[in-house]
Amino acid sequence: MSRTSRVRAVAPGIDRLGDDVVNFYLVHHQDGLLLVDAGLPAHLRQLCAHLATTGRSLSDIRAVLLTHTHPDHTGLAAPLHAAGAEIWTPRAEAATLTDGPRSSLRHAKPERSMAPYLLRRPAALATPLHMALRGGFTAAPFPHARAFDGDHTFDALPGRPGR
């Protein structure tokens, strides 16, 4: 399977970034830019290059809305926060983000061992290997996220006003 980086418009004002395994979305909103999920650390160059094509930079992203805290969804949280974006995560997932990507099994133990599955389907190892080679398990713990409950509704774009 190809692991090429891709950016494509999936709907008016929504761009899909990432590659054939990992995806995250840039939403162009009248109040500013929003990312839904934050890819892997290796996607930073792709995101910056894509923003540059429209005269934008990381500092134009007001908020990042994480759907969950697996490593392939949180890799750019720290650089985006450093650039000024608010990072939002489901409250039930906040501990994994705070403790870092290697803590996910400690916070959400699988129902059973992955070993039998991987022995039957060794090709499934390609995804964690892909993530590891692109820095997915090296991100530092990130304690700066704002948590929201599952029934939370965002009535406006979260983050800095006026962008």
Side-chain angles (χ1 to χ4, degrees), residues 71-145:
D72 58 323
H73 291 250
T74 62
L76 300 178
L80 289 164
H81 182 261
E86 284 187 6
I87 311 299
W88 289 80
T89 187
R91 189 172 312 284
E93 303 268 339
T96 302
L97 195 59
T98 298
D99 293 345
R102 294 182 188 168
S103 73
S104 60
L105 289 179
R106 184 171 63 241
H107 293 292
K109 294 191 183 295
E111 293 178 17
R112 55 188 106 130
S113 171
M114 291 291 293
Y117 177 82
L118 293 173
L119 287 172
R120 287 191 311 274
R121 294 171 186 84
L125 286 170
T127 296
L129 179 60
H130 174 82
M131 290 169 39
L133 291 173
R134 285 153 186 83
F137 303 108
T138 62
F142 186 79
H144 310 291

Side-chain angles (χ1 to χ4, degrees), residues 89-92 147-154:
T89 187
R91 189 172 312 284
F148 63 91
D149 293 313
D151 61 351
H152 185 90
T153 300
F154 290 94

